[in-house]
Coordinates of all heavy atoms in Angstrom, one line a residue:
T167 N 0.9 -1.2 0.1 CA 0.0 0.0 -0.1 C 0.8 1.3 0.0 O 0.4 2.3 -0.5 CB -1.0 0.0 1.2 OG1 -0.2 0.2 2.4 CG2 -1.8 -1.2 1.2
K168 N 2.1 1.2 0.5 CA 3.0 2.2 0.5 C 4.2 2.1 -0.4 O 5.0 3.0 -0.5 CB 3.6 2.4 1.9 CG 2.6 2.7 3.0 CD 3.2 2.8 4.3 CE 2.2 3.1 5.4 NZ 2.9 3.2 6.9
N169 N 4.2 1.0 -1.3 CA 5.2 0.7 -2.2 C 6.5 0.8 -1.6 O 7.5 1.5 -2.0 CB 5.1 1.7 -3.4 CG 3.9 1.5 -4.2 OD1 3.5 0.4 -4.5 ND2 3.3 2.6 -4.5
T170 N 6.7 0.2 -0.3 CA 7.9 0.3 0.4 C 8.3 -1.1 0.8 O 7.5 -1.9 1.2 CB 7.6 1.2 1.8 OG1 7.2 2.4 1.4 CG2 8.9 1.2 2.7
V171 N 9.7 -1.2 0.8 CA 10.3 -2.5 1.1 C 11.1 -2.2 2.3 O 11.8 -1.1 2.5 CB 10.9 -3.2 0.0 CG1 12.1 -2.3 -0.6 CG2 11.5 -4.5 0.3
Y172 N 11.3 -3.2 3.3 CA 12.2 -3.0 4.4 C 13.1 -4.1 4.6 O 12.8 -5.3 4.1 CB 11.3 -2.9 5.7 CG 10.2 -2.0 5.7 CD1 8.9 -2.3 5.2 CD2 10.3 -0.6 6.1 CE1 7.8 -1.4 5.3 CE2 9.3 0.2 6.1 CZ 8.1 -0.1 5.7 OH 7.0 0.7 5.5
L173 N 14.2 -3.9 5.0 CA 15.2 -4.9 5.3 C 15.6 -4.8 6.9 O 16.4 -3.9 7.2 CB 16.5 -4.8 4.5 CG 17.4 -6.0 4.7 CD1 16.8 -7.3 4.1 CD2 18.8 -5.7 3.9
Q174 N 15.2 -5.8 7.6 CA 15.6 -5.8 9.1 C 16.9 -6.6 9.2 O 16.9 -7.8 8.8 CB 14.5 -6.4 9.9 CG 14.8 -6.6 11.3 CD 15.1 -5.2 12.1 OE1 14.2 -4.3 11.8 NE2 16.1 -5.0 12.8
M175 N 17.9 -6.0 9.6 CA 19.1 -6.8 9.7 C 19.7 -6.9 11.1 O 19.8 -5.9 11.7 CB 20.3 -5.9 8.9 CG 19.8 -5.7 7.5 SD 21.3 -5.0 6.5 CE 21.4 -3.3 7.3
N176 N 19.8 -8.1 11.5 CA 20.1 -8.4 12.9 C 21.4 -9.1 13.0 O 21.9 -9.6 11.9 CB 19.0 -9.3 13.5 CG 17.6 -8.6 13.7 OD1 17.5 -7.4 13.8 ND2 16.6 -9.4 13.7
S177 N 22.0 -9.1 14.1 CA 23.3 -9.8 14.3 C 24.3 -9.6 13.2 O 25.0 -10.3 12.5 CB 23.1 -11.5 14.1 OG 22.1 -11.9 15.2
L178 N 24.4 -8.2 13.1 CA 25.3 -7.8 11.9 C 26.8 -8.0 12.3 O 27.2 -8.1 13.4 CB 25.1 -6.2 11.9 CG 23.9 -5.8 11.0 CD1 23.4 -4.4 11.2 CD2 24.1 -6.1 9.6
K179 N 27.5 -8.3 11.1 CA 29.0 -8.7 11.2 C 29.8 -7.6 10.5 O 29.2 -6.9 9.6 CB 29.1 -10.0 10.6 CG 28.3 -11.2 11.2 CD 28.5 -12.4 10.4 CE 27.5 -13.5 10.9 NZ 27.7 -14.9 10.2
P180 N 31.0 -7.6 10.8 CA 31.9 -6.7 10.0 C 31.8 -6.9 8.5 O 31.8 -5.9 7.7 CB 33.2 -6.9 10.6 CG 33.0 -7.3 12.0 CD 31.8 -8.2 11.9
E181 N 31.6 -8.2 8.0 CA 31.6 -8.4 6.6 C 30.2 -8.0 6.0 O 30.1 -8.1 4.8 CB 31.8 -9.9 6.4 CG 30.9 -10.8 7.3 CD 31.7 -11.3 8.4 OE1 32.3 -10.4 9.2 OE2 31.6 -12.5 8.8
D182 N 29.3 -7.5 6.9 CA 28.1 -6.9 6.2 C 28.4 -5.5 5.8 O 27.4 -4.9 5.2 CB 27.0 -7.1 7.3 CG 26.5 -8.3 7.6 OD1 26.5 -9.3 6.6 OD2 26.3 -8.7 8.8
T183 N 29.4 -4.9 6.2 CA 29.8 -3.6 5.7 C 29.9 -3.4 4.2 O 30.4 -4.1 3.6 CB 31.2 -3.1 6.3 OG1 31.1 -3.1 7.8 CG2 31.5 -1.8 5.8
A184 N 29.0 -2.5 3.8 CA 28.8 -2.3 2.4 C 27.8 -1.1 2.0 O 27.2 -0.6 3.1 CB 28.3 -3.5 1.6
V185 N 27.9 -0.8 0.8 CA 26.7 0.1 0.4 C 25.6 -0.8 -0.1 O 25.8 -1.6 -0.9 CB 27.2 1.0 -0.8 CG1 26.0 1.9 -1.2 CG2 28.4 1.9 -0.3
Y186 N 24.5 -0.5 0.6 CA 23.3 -1.3 0.3 C 22.3 -0.4 -0.7 O 22.1 0.8 -0.5 CB 22.5 -1.5 1.6 CG 23.2 -2.5 2.4 CD1 24.4 -2.4 3.0 CD2 22.6 -3.9 2.5 CE1 25.0 -3.4 3.7 CE2 23.3 -4.8 3.3 CZ 24.5 -4.6 3.9 OH 25.0 -5.6 4.6
Y187 N 21.9 -1.1 -1.8 CA 21.1 -0.4 -2.9 C 19.7 -1.1 -2.8 O 19.6 -2.4 -2.9 CB 21.7 -0.7 -4.2 CG 23.1 0.1 -4.3 CD1 24.4 -0.6 -4.0 CD2 23.2 1.4 -4.7 CE1 25.5 0.1 -4.2 CE2 24.5 2.1 -4.9 CZ 25.5 1.3 -4.6 OH 26.9 2.0 -4.8
C188 N 18.8 -0.3 -2.9 CA 17.4 -0.7 -3.2 C 17.1 -0.9 -4.6 O 17.8 -0.2 -5.5 CB 16.4 0.3 -2.7 SG 14.6 -0.1 -2.8
H189 N 16.4 -2.0 -5.1 CA 16.1 -2.2 -6.4 C 14.8 -2.6 -6.6 O 14.1 -3.2 -5.9 CB 16.9 -3.5 -6.9 CG 16.8 -4.0 -8.2 ND1 16.1 -5.1 -8.5 CD2 17.4 -3.4 -9.4 CE1 16.1 -5.2 -9.9 NE2 16.9 -4.2 -10.4
W190 N 14.2 -2.0 -7.7 CA 12.8 -2.2 -8.2 C 12.7 -2.8 -9.6 O 13.5 -2.1 -10.4 CB 12.1 -0.9 -8.0 CG 10.6 -1.0 -8.3 CD1 9.5 -1.1 -7.4 CD2 9.9 -0.9 -9.6 NE1 8.3 -1.2 -8.1 CE2 8.5 -1.1 -9.4 CE3 10.5 -0.8 -11.0 CZ2 7.6 -1.1 -10.5 CZ3 9.6 -0.8 -12.0 CH2 8.2 -0.8 -11.8
A191 N 12.0 -3.8 -9.9 CA 11.9 -4.4 -11.1 C 10.5 -4.7 -11.5 O 9.8 -5.3 -10.7 CB 12.9 -5.4 -11.4
S192 N 10.2 -4.4 -12.8 CA 8.9 -4.9 -13.4 C 9.0 -4.7 -14.9 O 9.4 -3.7 -15.3 CB 7.8 -4.2 -12.8 OG 6.6 -4.6 -13.3
R193 N 8.3 -5.7 -15.6 CA 8.2 -5.6 -17.0 C 9.5 -5.1 -17.7 O 9.5 -4.2 -18.5 CB 7.1 -4.6 -17.4 CG 5.8 -5.0 -17.0 CD 4.7 -4.0 -17.3 NE 3.4 -4.2 -16.7 CZ 2.4 -3.6 -17.2 NH1 2.3 -2.7 -18.0 NH2 1.2 -3.8 -16.3
N194 N 10.7 -5.9 -17.4 CA 11.9 -5.7 -18.1 C 12.5 -4.1 -17.8 O 13.4 -3.7 -18.3 CB 11.8 -5.8 -19.6 CG 11.6 -7.3 -19.9 OD1 12.1 -8.3 -19.3 ND2 10.8 -7.4 -21.1
L195 N 11.8 -3.6 -16.8 CA 12.4 -2.2 -16.3 C 13.0 -2.5 -14.9 O 12.5 -3.3 -14.1 CB 11.3 -1.2 -16.1 CG 10.5 -0.9 -17.4 CD1 9.4 0.1 -17.0 CD2 11.5 -0.1 -18.5
N196 N 14.0 -1.8 -14.7 CA 14.6 -1.8 -13.3 C 15.3 -0.6 -12.9 O 15.8 0.1 -13.8 CB 15.5 -3.1 -13.2 CG 16.8 -2.8 -13.9 OD1 17.8 -2.5 -13.4 ND2 16.8 -3.3 -15.1
F197 N 15.1 -0.3 -11.6 CA 15.6 1.0 -11.1 C 16.4 0.8 -9.8 O 16.2 -0.1 -9.2 CB 14.5 1.9 -10.9 CG 13.8 2.4 -12.1 CD1 12.6 1.6 -12.6 CD2 14.2 3.5 -12.9 CE1 12.0 2.0 -13.7 CE2 13.6 3.8 -14.1 CZ 12.4 3.0 -14.4
W198 N 17.4 1.6 -9.6 CA 18.2 1.5 -8.3 C 18.1 2.8 -7.6 O 18.0 3.9 -8.0 CB 19.7 1.3 -8.7 CG 19.9 0.1 -9.5 CD1 20.0 -0.2 -10.8 CD2 20.3 -1.2 -8.9 NE1 20.2 -1.5 -11.2 CE2 20.4 -2.1 -10.0 CE3 20.4 -1.7 -7.7 CZ2 20.7 -3.5 -9.8 CZ3 20.7 -2.9 -7.4 CH2 20.9 -3.9 -8.4
G199 N 18.2 2.6 -6.2 CA 18.3 3.7 -5.3 C 19.9 4.2 -5.4 O 20.7 3.7 -6.0

């Protein structure tokens, strides 16, 4: 209803360090945050 996606990340590790990108795709279209 809000066109929103969430990612709950628990027990984070140093190797999770990164730039996280949101992605949306439909009908051969795709977009990045």
Side-chain angles (χ1 to χ4, degrees):
T167 65
K168 297 180 179 180
N169 294 315
T170 299
V171 65
Y172 307 95
L173 184 67
Q174 178 66 45
M175 303 188 294
N176 298 328
S177 302
L178 283 161
K179 305 174 182 180
E181 50 264 43
D182 295 316
T183 295
V185 177
Y186 285 69
Y187 295 92
C188 180
H189 180 254
W190 182 98
S192 179
R193 300 186 185 183
N194 295 322
L195 298 173
N196 68 98
F197 296 91
W198 294 93

